[in-house]
Amino acid sequence: MSKSNETHASLIQVSYCLFAEHGIAKTTYTMIAKEVGIAKPSIYYYFDSKDALIVGVFDELCKGIEFAAFFDLEQFTEDNFVESLIAIGAKMIDEQDKDPYFTRVLQEYMLLATRNQDFSKRLLALQRDYLSGFEALLEKASTLGLLRNKDNLTAKAHMLALILDNIGHFMMFDEQIDYKQIWIEAVYSLFTRDE
Amino acid sequence: MSKSNETHASLIQVSYCLFAEHGIAKTTYTMIAKEVGIAKPSIYYYFDSKDALIVGVFDELCKGIEFAAFFDLEQFTEDNFVESLIAIGAKMIDEQDKDPYFTRVLQEYMLLATRNQDFSKRLLALQRDYLSGFEALLEKASTLGLLRNKDNLTAKAHMLALILDNIGHFMMFDEQIDYKQIWIEAVYSLFTRDE
DNA sequence: GTCTATATGGGGATAGAC
DNA sequence: GTCTATCCCCATATAGAC
């Protein structure tokens, strides 16, 4: 990796952490430069403005978090459907547990998105990707005859998406809740199972 | 209302709106003073610092949003339980629809709370209030024999709290989802009903 | 690519008159 | 209670050498 790429990556990485710790608006070039170990004006060689840096961090944040990165429709079969769904949710909860910065920074961008079309378009696309992903998943489950009830698949799919999403929000400042159990209950509530 | 109280209330109200539109960090005394129609230093008569103003807006934000303000346990009976639960959710969704500022400002404070003990304590208490409120509600439903399944009442209660909470988040930037239907599905998924 | 030096603007906050 | 005038600081950003 060239020196240029190294510094670029370091700028993104450091900014990401500082955005989580102090918020985007209160993170300054002075703080970033100090942490990266370069002079403040050097940042302008990589990003024309603070806004450009904010976009750069967002680009990085969005990498590899689309629905398909976690859910592979093919892997779900009649025999493993419920278990797979629960396992993936548990995995996502673990990852958020390990990187508490992620949710915070994402929240920062969600708020930015309420005032900025570019961000709102991209976040909306991401959200829609998850909603339609869960819809496809439940359709497959329905075809396999695994659902307790086949009505309103769309609303049910959205419900799952909402729960998984909000677990992240809650985790930001309440560690005492059994999030995996909530996810299990949500999944069980839709699927038939021995009781 | 005295002149003093009038200005105080106006400062809170205007700040609340500006916080939603521009974010707390990017809202300045200059903007607030202009909107309220007083000179910038006059604000210091009411709030010693910007931090004090931020707390003042938060105090106002917290008024009347506790669980009991929406859910009265007494009103839930065997006959109206599911309908009441659905109706209250629908009412909360309508209110958030009418005041899109509320969720945004609350989100701003949630992020502040990740860096500030005072805010995090108070938000945590509010969250716990909702979680235990839903627990009590489901216990009553269970006693009345209305639940499909009596296991893991806590996780089920938390699931409802999560969904209602996150509907607000989603509403911030996606108006095309049938949120009331999602709430209905969530409620139905726990209660027995004719199918 | 990275530096030092510097410009410029606007933020929060205070002094003190009315 | 509200004003005008003013201070200090630090933010983003630029100029230009190396």
Side-chain angles (χ1 to χ4, degrees):
Chain A
M1 193 193 263
S2 71
K3 180 77 181 168
S4 168
N5 282 342
E6 252 176 56
T7 307
H8 186 272
S10 181
L11 279 169
I12 296 281
Q13 173 63 26
V14 163
S15 300
Y16 170 80
C17 294
L18 290 173
F19 284 180
E21 284 167 13
H22 306 282
I24 293 175
K26 304 212 95 167
T27 299
T28 68
Y29 267 30
T30 304
M31 295 159 68
I32 298 169
K34 188 182 173 187
E35 190 75 17
V36 171
I38 59 175
K40 193 163 56 166
S42 301
I43 304 175
Y44 287 90
Y45 176 78
Y46 297 93
F47 301 96
D48 287 343
S49 66
K50 195 183 168 185
D51 280 346
L53 171 64
I54 292 171
V55 171
V57 172
F58 185 65
D59 291 341
E60 190 62 30
L61 187 76
C62 289
K63 279 185 189 161
I65 59 166
E66 70 279 4
F67 185 81
F70 295 94
F71 296 88
D72 172 21
L73 218 62
E74 299 301 316
Q75 84 171 64
F76 287 85
T77 67
E78 184 172 353
D79 290 333
N80 72 13
F81 213 106
V82 174
E83 291 73 20
S84 294
L85 196 47
I86 289 174
I88 294 174
K91 186 183 149 206
M92 291 175 84
I93 290 169
D94 279 336
E95 288 195 10
Q96 296 209 43
D97 219 18
K98 266 185 253 158
D99 181 8
Y101 285 173
F102 180 80
T103 317
R104 284 199 219 174
V105 180
L106 187 61
Q107 282 299 307
E108 289 276 340
Y109 281 101
M110 290 224 178
L111 281 169
L112 276 193
T114 64
R115 303 159 211 134
N116 177 308
Q117 275 235 336
D118 286 341
F119 289 133
S120 78
K121 269 186 197 166
R122 292 173 63 180
L123 284 177
L124 190 56
L126 189 62
Q127 185 166 289
R128 290 265 165 80
D129 170 59
Y130 268 81
L131 293 178
S132 62
F134 274 113
E135 283 176 42
L137 202 63
L138 286 196
E139 268 161 38
K140 180 163 184 179
S142 178
T143 305
L144 292 171
L146 299 171
L147 292 185
R148 189 198 301 281
N149 175 309
K150 293 186 173 186
D151 300 333
N152 295 315
L153 279 193
T154 304
K156 289 187 169 85
H158 292 188
M159 186 185 95
L160 287 182
L162 246 71
I163 291 173
L164 209 51
D165 180 57
N166 211 17
I167 282 178
H169 297 164
F170 269 52
M171 283 173 75
M172 275 204 298
F173 62 113
D174 194 344
E175 291 118 19
Q176 297 182 21
I177 296 177
D178 189 345
Y179 293 107
K180 288 181 187 174
Q181 191 61 41
I182 295 176
W183 177 245
I184 289 171
E185 283 301 325
V187 172
Y188 277 175
S189 77
L190 301 184
F191 286 77
T192 55
R193 56 166 173 148
D194 308 327
E195 291 180 13
Chain B
M1 196 192 262
S2 72
K3 181 75 180 168
S4 167
N5 282 341
E6 251 177 58
T7 306
H8 183 91
S10 180
L11 278 169
I12 296 281
Q13 172 62 25
V14 164
S15 300
Y16 171 79
C17 294
L18 289 173
F19 284 0
E21 283 167 14
H22 306 280
I24 294 175
K26 304 213 94 165
T27 299
T28 68
Y29 267 30
T30 305
M31 294 160 67
I32 297 169
K34 188 183 173 187
E35 189 76 17
V36 171
I38 59 175
K40 188 164 63 162
S42 302
I43 303 176
Y44 287 88
Y45 177 79
Y46 297 93
F47 300 97
D48 287 343
S49 66
K50 196 184 168 186
D51 280 346
L53 172 63
I54 293 171
V55 171
V57 172
F58 185 65
D59 290 341
E60 190 62 30
L61 187 76
C62 290
K63 280 185 189 163
I65 59 166
E66 69 280 3
F67 185 81
F70 294 94
F71 296 87
D72 172 21
L73 219 63
E74 300 300 316
Q75 86 172 63
F76 287 84
T77 66
E78 184 173 353
D79 291 333
N80 72 12
F81 212 106
V82 174
E83 291 72 20
S84 294
L85 197 46
I86 289 174
I88 293 173
K91 186 183 152 207
M92 291 175 85
I93 291 169
D94 279 336
E95 288 195 11
Q96 296 209 44
D97 218 20
K98 265 185 253 161
D99 181 6
Y101 284 173
F102 180 79
T103 318
R104 286 198 218 174
V105 180
L106 188 60
Q107 283 299 307
E108 289 276 340
Y109 282 101
M110 291 222 176
L111 281 169
L112 276 193
T114 64
R115 304 159 210 135
N116 176 308
Q117 274 235 336
D118 286 342
F119 289 133
S120 78
K121 270 187 196 166
R122 291 173 64 181
L123 285 177
L124 190 56
L126 189 62
Q127 185 166 290
R128 290 264 166 81
D129 171 60
Y130 268 81
L131 294 178
S132 62
F134 273 113
E135 283 177 42
L137 202 63
L138 285 196
E139 269 161 36
K140 179 163 183 179
S142 178
T143 305
L144 292 172
L146 300 171
L147 293 185
R148 188 197 302 280
N149 176 307
K150 294 186 174 187
D151 300 333
N152 296 315
L153 279 193
T154 305
K156 289 187 167 85
H158 292 187
M159 186 185 96
L160 287 182
L162 247 71
I163 291 173
L164 209 50
D165 179 56
N166 209 17
I167 282 178
H169 297 165
F170 268 52
M171 284 173 74
M172 275 205 299
F173 62 114
D174 194 344
E175 292 117 18
Q176 296 182 22
I177 295 178
D178 189 345
Y179 295 105
K180 289 181 186 173
Q181 192 60 41
I182 294 176
W183 178 243
I184 289 171
E185 283 300 326
V187 173
Y188 277 174
S189 76
L190 301 184
F191 286 78
T192 56
R193 56 165 174 149
D194 306 328
E195 291 180 15

